[in-house]
Amino acid sequence: MSGNRFTRRGLLKTGATLGVGLAAPSFFVRGAHAYVNEPTGSTVTLGFNVPQTGPYADEGADQLRAYQLAVKHLNGEGDGGMLNTFSSKALQGNGILGKKVAYVTGDTQTKSDAARASAKAMIEKDRAVMITGGSSSGVAVAVQGLCQEAGVIFMAGLTHSNDTTGKDRKKNGFRHFFNAYMSGAALAPVLKDAYGSDRRAYHLTADYTWGWTQEESIAASTEAIGWETVQKVRTPLGAGDFSQYITPVLNSGADVLILNHYGKDMVNSLTQAVQFGLRDKQVNGKTFEIVVPLYSELMAQGAGENVKGIYGSANWDWKLPDEATQAFTKSFGQEYGSPPSQAAQTGYVQAILYADAVERAGTFNPCEVIAALEDYEFDGLGNGPTLYRGADHQCFKKVLVVKGADNPTNQYDLLEVVSEVPVEDVTYASDHPMFAGGELGSCNPGA
């Protein structure tokens, strides 16, 4: 695979190399197999496809650590983590359906083509029955489409674009992470209380599917509380230097900068905005403010003191007091010496939810696994009671509003949770205009 840093770790099973295309691969349909990559030996292989290089590499590294921890727990190693708190008791720590869990890994490079290439290799060469990962919605959408064509399950990792479970939704794909609409719905009331209803907002937006839908969602929610959107400017993913985009903000008449950036891009753009003195300005008789709608502890570590007092939203936080969060944070900390990020938590949970669905279905056949996941209600995985909605394969759970801590107690305590927004406040109809244009279609078992 030219240009793709594909690596293999753990217990591996290598199948025959396939020809070009995924429509009817010969060895998938040979013999009595009812679905693609039906496990026949004592192990079953999962594919972990994360950005190990590129602007989202920090998130990808933490996600991969969580996937590896999930494999240990599924195989009965370690302390069991959230298997002990999960409301379902189908998993017994003896693998999945008695088969030891193996895995392969790939580097998406935060590029859709590289991500598809590594996922394709996992399916064709290593006979992976499920692909998971992400950290870029562009990557997630691309790999979800590939998995639909190939006939395997895709359990999306960190992907926040509305499109993943909107216009690009697929029957074989599932998302646990929250989305841009939910961020807007959760953030707007908090921003109104903090900054008032008379504000003028300037958006800098990553120029791909996630940035577009977050910009749309945040603009709609802030305009609904009375804010005016002054300008929307798109920036390339991985730009590094954002100074040329920040300079025009100074003379725009805006008094809020909304950074629709993530990973190293957010670290760089926020740092440069502070260096340009935006937070020290008075505009329209108000103190200039910055909002980062999608936050993470990893980004806060990168941006340091620049995050103090800045609001955003999050899928999960390691400091939540529930039993499941504490169990996962303990396991992850013992394994790696630091608390887990939201990227790690959503990846771990997706791996566990897939394994649990297989166990409950009694088969790896993707069509029956899909049926086990659709409209599945569960608890004990760190987000409170959660529904995997069948209409669009989106998880519905509470959303966190967070802000940069003014007085962090340590290097990991950089965000404080200011609101746990109940699920009913972030729920929408599956045909909501921001999610329209897509259909799940039919299950593809690949054979």
Side-chain angles (χ1 to χ4, degrees):
M1 293 184 300
S2 177
N4 184 46
R5 300 169 184 262
F6 183 75
T7 61
R8 297 175 175 80
R9 302 178 186 176
L11 294 167
L12 305 184
K13 298 186 299 177
T14 304
T17 301
L18 301 188
V20 176
L22 291 166
S26 58
F27 83 86
F28 286 169
V29 297
R30 191 167 61 207
H33 295 304
Y35 52 92
V36 69
N37 293 346
E38 181 179 358
T40 56
S42 61
T43 63
V44 59
T45 301
L46 308 182
F48 302 147
N49 205 22
V50 301
Q52 299 181 50
T53 57
Y56 294 172
D58 290 345
E59 311 288 333
D62 219 40
Q63 211 167 18
L64 184 55
R65 286 190 280 267
Y67 286 135
Q68 292 166 335
L69 184 61
V71 169
K72 290 188 68 170
H73 291 167
L74 288 170
N75 286 334
E77 302 167 15
D79 63 8
M82 285 196 282
L83 291 186
N84 299 317
T85 60
F86 187 19
S87 56
S88 173
K89 302 305 176 187
L91 295 167
Q92 301 299 313
N94 62 343
I96 308 175
L97 292 183
K99 297 181 183 293
K100 193 171 184 68
V101 181
Y103 66 90
V104 289
T105 74
D107 179 9
T108 70
Q109 304 172 42
T110 322
K111 298 176 181 177
S112 296
D113 289 346
R116 284 177 63 94
S118 57
K120 188 171 186 287
M122 292 175 188
I123 296 166
E124 296 182 349
K125 296 178 66 177
D126 298 297
R127 298 180 61 83
V129 297
M130 183 271 279
I131 303 295
T132 181
S135 296
S136 157
S137 290
V139 162
V141 167
V143 174
Q144 180 168 258
L146 175 87
C147 289
Q148 181 68 39
E149 297 163 10
V152 301
I153 298 292
F154 177 62
M155 300 294 284
L158 196 162
T159 168
H160 190 244
S161 171
N162 292 340
D163 292 346
T164 307
T165 47
K167 72 178 184 63
D168 295 308
R169 69 185 73 165
K170 295 289 186 288
K171 189 73 169 179
N172 283 43
F174 291 83
R175 170 165 58 182
H176 170 263
F177 205 69
F178 73 144
N179 57 48
Y181 173 92
M182 294 173 174
S183 286
L187 267 174
V190 175
L191 295 177
K192 182 178 180 180
D193 288 344
Y195 303 138
S197 58
D198 181 21
R199 284 284 183 167
R200 307 186 76 217
Y202 193 111
H203 288 253
L204 289 182
T205 299
D207 193 12
Y208 75 105
T209 178
W210 167 66
W212 306 333
T213 67
Q214 176 161 287
E215 178 188 272
E216 177 187 27
S217 299
I218 302 301
S221 63
T222 53
E223 287 167 9
I225 62 170
W227 289 22
E228 177 187 351
T229 302
V230 173
Q231 186 66 270
K232 299 176 179 178
V233 176
R234 303 288 169 84
T235 63
L237 182 62
D241 183 3
F242 292 91
S243 57
Q244 64 176 306
Y245 301 102
I246 294 170
T247 302
V249 180
L250 297 166
N251 301 312
S252 67
D255 48 48
V256 178
L257 173 60
I258 297 177
L259 291 175
N260 299 305
H261 291 155
Y262 198 74
K264 289 185 174 68
D265 281 357
M266 174 273 182
V267 170
N268 291 331
S269 62
L270 175 60
T271 299
Q272 290 163 18
V274 173
Q275 290 172 345
F276 272 63
L278 287 183
R279 299 193 75 184
D280 299 323
K281 287 177 64 67
Q282 291 288 316
V283 180
N284 305 324
K286 306 175 184 69
T287 301
F288 194 97
E289 304 291 353
I290 301 175
V291 176
V292 178
L294 180 58
Y295 239 150
S296 81
E297 292 273 7
L298 294 175
M299 286 156 47
Q301 290 170 28
E305 293 208 351
N306 296 320
V307 305
K308 287 187 175 182
I310 290 181
Y311 286 97
S313 66
N315 187 68
W316 175 85
D317 188 275
W318 67 270
K319 298 182 294 299
L320 292 172
D322 63 276
E323 183 184 18
T325 291
Q326 291 179 345
F328 179 54
T329 299
K330 178 184 176 184
S331 292
F332 194 94
Q334 289 176 339
E335 189 78 12
Y336 302 113
S338 62
S341 65
Q342 63 177 354
Q345 186 258 356
T346 201
Y348 178 96
V349 168
Q350 283 285 69
I352 297 303
L353 285 170
Y354 170 78
D356 174 71
V358 171
E359 202 75 39
R360 289 185 293 109
T363 176
F364 289 96
N365 187 317
C367 294
E368 296 189 43
V369 176
I370 289 168
L373 282 167
E374 288 183 334
D375 291 320
Y376 181 48
E377 297 181 77
F378 59 91
D379 200 351
L381 292 179
N383 288 98
T386 303
L387 168 69
Y388 234 135
R389 188 163 69 179
D392 52 8
H393 295 184
Q394 172 67 55
C395 270
F396 286 85
K397 55 199 183 313
K398 66 184 177 185
V399 169
L400 306 182
V401 175
V402 297
K403 75 170 182 175
D406 291 323
N407 298 295
T409 58
N410 58 62
Q411 62 179 315
Y412 304 113
D413 181 29
L414 300 180
L415 297 180
E416 61 179 86
V417 178
V418 298
S419 178
E420 295 185 37
V421 182
V423 63
E424 55 266 25
D425 291 353
V426 297
T427 298
Y428 54 88
S430 61
D431 60 352
H432 185 283
M434 289 186 185
F435 297 83
E439 293 184 5
L440 287 174
S442 302
C443 163
N444 178 18

